[in-house]
Amino acid sequence: MTLLSKSDQEAVTAAINDVERETDAELVTVLTAQSDNYSYIPLLWAGILALLVPGIANYFGNWFGADMLMLVQWGTFILLSLLFRVQGINTRLIPQQVRYWRASNLARRQFLERNLHHTEGSTGMLIFVSEAERYVEILVDQGIADVLDNSVWEGIVADFTAKVHQGQTRQGFLDCIAACGKLLKEHVPATHERNELPDHLVILS
């Protein structure tokens, strides 16, 4: 999984600049490879399988004594713990609800950390993407929420999420910014020139 290149990031910045010239909204875009390291997930699955699989196999086959069974269980636990840390396998072990919950929490922390709740007129807007979770969320402050219902973002988020699934994160950002910009120009038009927050794409390590 590769985050956006420098030229991709510059394209996103340019798109934000274009939108902010015609609206009072302050757009911030955040991209992360993964919202959590989920370090407990491999250990949890490895522990469950290390207890069950050798135990069940020994119950039907009676292959091991008590000491050997314990060694096999420990060996199984260590091997599975390492195997389940592999990125592609790790994410498949995590329930979707857990992945989305962690991504949503990070999005809300970013909204606060980027000071989107302190803009003039309360017109902050966050476009958040977590690639590993295939998660996209748009968060807006009260000044935008008062004139645009949250349901208007659902189609935009669904389209962006599909593009993240397809590995088209750059195009997803550009299409999302353009679609949001169209709505913001109509409902939150520019009243004066201002730029309170950085326009560049924030990439979390």
Side-chain angles (χ1 to χ4, degrees):
M1 184 178 299
T2 304
L3 295 178
L4 300 188
S5 67
K6 184 176 180 180
S7 62
D8 292 336
Q9 295 174 46
E10 290 171 349
V12 172
T13 297
I16 294 171
N17 287 334
D18 289 343
V19 168
E20 288 191 346
R21 277 195 289 269
E22 300 185 65
T23 175
D24 277 346
E26 286 287 334
L27 275 68
V28 171
T29 52
V30 175
L31 173 64
T32 184
Q34 192 167 346
S35 292
D36 194 337
N37 61 17
Y38 304 103
S39 57
Y40 61 95
I41 295 292
L43 297 177
L44 177 63
W45 278 104
I48 292 171
L49 293 175
L51 285 172
L52 290 179
V53 175
I56 292 171
N58 195 53
Y59 177 80
F60 289 105
N62 197 26
W63 296 331
F64 314 119
D67 291 343
M68 181 57 70
L69 177 60
M70 186 175 67
L71 289 174
V72 171
Q73 288 177 323
W74 273 106
T76 302
F77 175 76
I78 292 169
L79 287 174
L80 291 179
S81 295
L82 295 174
L83 177 64
F84 290 165
R85 288 185 181 277
V86 176
Q87 180 70 40
I89 299 174
N90 186 313
T91 52
R92 283 176 166 75
L93 297 174
I94 306 164
Q96 186 181 77
Q97 279 186 316
V98 174
R99 289 188 282 119
Y100 284 6
W101 177 65
R102 295 302 299 167
S104 180
N105 279 350
L106 181 57
R108 279 153 180 74
R109 291 204 306 272
Q110 287 299 306
F111 191 91
L112 298 176
E113 289 177 14
R114 305 294 162 187
N115 290 317
L116 282 155
H117 58 309
H118 285 317
T119 61
E120 181 184 342
S122 299
T123 56
M125 177 180 200
L126 174 70
I127 300 173
F128 175 87
V129 180
S130 186
E131 286 197 328
E133 287 80 5
R134 305 291 191 268
Y135 184 87
V136 176
E137 185 166 8
I138 293 174
L139 296 174
V140 299
D141 204 0
Q142 198 60 47
I144 297 175
D146 285 343
V147 295
L148 283 166
D149 188 82
N150 280 336
S151 61
V152 304
W153 313 117
E154 291 175 1
I156 298 172
V157 167
D159 180 68
F160 197 167
T161 303
K163 286 186 170 64
V164 174
H165 271 278
Q166 298 160 9
Q168 300 176 12
T169 303
R170 174 188 187 274
Q171 192 58 47
F173 266 116
L174 298 180
D175 292 346
C176 178
I177 292 167
C180 291
K182 185 176 180 181
L183 291 168
L184 293 169
K185 291 171 194 175
E186 179 181 353
H187 297 279
V188 194
T191 57
H192 60 284
E193 186 175 344
R194 65 189 177 97
N195 190 17
E196 299 176 62
L197 301 172
D199 296 336
H200 66 271
L201 174 66
V202 176
I203 296 184
L204 304 180
S205 56

